[in-house]
Amino acid sequence: MKFDDKVPIYYQIKNYLYHEMLTGTLNPGDKLPAVRQLAVDLTVNVNTVQRALSEMITEGTIESQRGKGNFVTADTTRLAQLKEQLVMTQLAQVYEQLHALNLTDEEIIASLKRYIEQKGAGQNA
Amino acid sequence: MTKMSALFKTMGWTKFRQINQMILLELIAVAVTGIWTAIKGNFNLATLFYLTASWSMLPYVVGFILLAVSTEKAYTADTFRLIPIEETRFYLMNLLSSLATLVYFMVVQAVLYGLTFWLGWSRISGMLPPMATVGSNVVEPIIVMLLVSLMTALLIWSTISFVHLVTSATSNFLPKFRQRALNVVVYVIVIFITIRVAGFIVHGVAWFARITFNGTDLGQFWLALAAMAVVILVEGALNVFLLKRWVETAAN
Amino acid sequence: MPNVLAIQGLTYKRNQKLILKNIDLTLETGKIVGLLGENGAGKTTLMRLITGSAQGSGDIMVSDATTATARKAHVSFSEQLHGFNKNVKISRVVDFYQTVYSDFDLNRYHELADFLQLNGELKLLALSKGMREKLIIALTLARQTDLYLLDEPFGGIDSMSRKKIISSIIQWKPDNATMLISDHYVTEIAPILDEIVVVKDQTIAVHQKTDTIRSESGMDIEDYYESLYAGGVDHD
């Protein structure tokens, strides 16, 4: 995959793995590829992958089992939290930007609804 | 650390290959001129011996020079100088592998001479001077002659190395222009010394031929050999010092 | 973390011209470090000083080795094979490496050669620039040692070869070994670097973690590197 070289790579690796976990490429309880394999697949440094993984272990989104490797947590509540957290981060950005355009909260909701309706119509057509 | 035997083996291999090419060229030259002689109808049993005798000097000289070039290249090539081995050992193995290859070349030449001489014996024997004129003690002169040729090879090679390493080391201290000027001075001095030494050798060989056939005392020759050994050792010590402290490999 | 390389007060002159001045540099175990700088800044010279191929003044320690001879046993340098006859086959060069380096691992070499698609029967003169660079990488990485020095491994080669070489670096660098890679174009290797070291004005201008640069400056590594030359960014 391509990285944005302006953003710390370990952070982008985390986001990549979150994405895999939430879209179902990696299911709860699944084993992650070995660190070196991940590094090769993503064309990044082993140490950087290690840093991303250890942060994720600390957060509880993945679990490390001695001698076996790393696994996506089977704790679905934790995964739900992660999803919520990611959704909120995305929304926060949109909200900040729309707010900066002097939209009120009601107007933001209304525009969002309009946007979804239009997009839905476009897809159905 | 790398073993001396491993270094000897790898350094020797390249040189061995070069010398084998020389031997091959020599054989081709003998064969081609032999066939030419046969076509002209002058071929006899002794022809191959004469051809070997007349061709052998050229590949020997070229082979000697090729070995000198290989020896010098090793001092400044990363391929060799990155090998983890102490400089004295490196120097020794470089020089000894060249010497061993040269001995191999000499043996091959001797075998060629022997073989063709044996082939042409019936014709050649009649032209030889009577054996009685050769001095009674033949073994010692032959040993001395072999030693002299090997020591001469070592002396020439270590002198070339000394010049090479000194001129390479001066870049550590001197600006480019002065380095070049100094190198010219070094070349001139060494060429002068070489001419003197060559003169000594030529003179020596003539003298040697005299004693061989008159059976005079070889004592002075042993003395000369000892003097050569001292020069080789002194140059060797200086060369190793230069390698350790100043000489760099050629940049990529 | 223990250091694999420690350089103190290293100065290098050639023909009375100062090339490197009073350099201090330490590299930790297990890192991949980019050595950046303009052509002629002294990147190659710094590597040559570490291996003992060039002679300067100052202290250089690799692992616990201080003399040049001892250091050579701990450093694998991407030498350019100039010492070989051009008619020699790759397999012969491999034999040479196996004979003279006790840390050369033939299995590792074959894995690397398979991955990089090197044919041992080819002669050196028949190799393209990319192939030659791949061979040098395979030979350099097949030694099991503490410090790898790769001097401009991407110079003038096609992007497919470049990708293969980068993959082999990730795959075959031992965990506890450190690798120093010199390059003057950093974008392609930026994602695999832990740190960068910039040689500028005869000394080390910057030694910094790449992710620190990204999070603190918000710039990509190439822009940051170029900004050093524009003089616009305060770097300390």
Side-chain angles (χ1 to χ4, degrees), chain B:
Chain B
M1 289 296 131
T2 302
K3 289 200 186 90
M4 285 203 276
S5 56
L7 191 62
F8 181 84
K9 210 174 112 190
T10 43
M11 286 183 141
W13 188 83
T14 323
K15 296 169 181 170
F16 183 65
R17 232 174 90 114
Q18 284 182 323
I19 289 305
N20 280 338
Q21 282 172 349
M22 282 300 110
I23 293 170
L24 190 68
L25 284 178
E26 184 178 344
L27 290 177
I28 291 172
V30 169
V32 168
T33 44
I35 291 168
W36 181 244
T37 317
I39 291 170
K40 286 193 3 192
N42 298 327
F43 193 85
N44 62 51
L45 285 174
T47 306
L48 285 179
F49 176 73
Y50 295 141
L51 288 176
T52 307
S54 48
W55 277 117
S56 67
M57 210 49 207
L58 188 65
Y60 187 81
V61 170
V62 174
F64 186 84
I65 292 168
L66 284 179
L67 287 176
V69 172
S70 292
T71 311
E72 294 319 307
K73 270 190 179 165
Y75 293 128
T76 52
D78 266 338
T79 305
F80 289 99
R81 291 301 307 282
L82 287 172
I83 296 170
I85 190 164
E86 202 271 323
E87 281 83 356
T88 314
R89 294 167 177 218
F90 183 88
Y91 181 80
L92 268 177
M93 289 306 109
N94 195 13
L95 210 52
L96 284 183
S97 59
S98 294
L99 190 69
T101 318
L102 190 71
V103 169
Y104 160 75
F105 196 17
M106 286 171 152
V107 169
V108 172
Q109 296 270 25
V111 168
L112 273 178
Y113 270 84
L115 213 64
T116 51
F117 188 76
W118 175 73
L119 272 176
W121 173 246
S122 55
R123 268 189 86 91
I124 302 164
S125 58
M127 301 177 218
L128 280 179
M131 289 303 273
T133 54
V134 179
S136 51
N137 180 7
V138 249
V139 181
E140 200 188 356
I142 287 176
I143 291 176
V144 170
M145 188 177 74
L146 277 175
L147 280 177
V148 167
S149 50
L150 293 182
M151 287 297 250
T152 310
L154 281 180
L155 186 64
I156 294 174
W157 284 332
S158 46
T159 306
I160 293 173
S161 297
F162 183 60
V163 176
H164 174 209
L165 299 181
V166 165
T167 52
S168 144
T170 46
S171 65
N172 280 282
F173 325 96
L174 300 174
K176 258 211 173 83
F177 176 72
R178 272 203 275 169
Q179 187 196 354
R180 285 204 197 109
L182 183 82
N183 290 353
V184 168
V185 173
V186 172
Y187 292 140
V188 169
I189 291 175
V190 171
I191 288 169
F192 175 74
I193 293 174
T194 312
I195 290 170
R196 292 302 295 264
V197 170
F200 166 78
I201 292 169
V202 169
H203 180 74
V205 167
W207 184 62
F208 180 78
R210 259 197 340 267
I211 357 175
T212 314
F213 293 100
N214 299 328
T216 331
D217 182 29
L218 287 168
Q220 280 199 325
F221 245 90
W222 286 109
L223 207 70
L225 273 175
M228 284 165 109
V230 169
V231 176
I232 290 166
L233 287 177
V234 170
E235 280 182 339
L238 289 169
N239 285 341
V240 169
F241 174 76
L242 287 167
L243 279 175
K244 273 193 179 154
R245 290 295 308 276
W246 307 115
V247 174
E248 302 193 344
T249 62
N252 284 328

Side-chain angles (χ1 to χ4, degrees), chain A residues 95-112:
Chain A
Y95 181 79
E96 283 299 318
Q97 282 163 7
L98 293 178
H99 210 73
L101 293 173
N102 284 335
L103 266 70
T104 63
D105 291 357
E106 288 75 20
E107 283 168 330
I108 291 175
I109 295 173
S111 352
L112 208 56

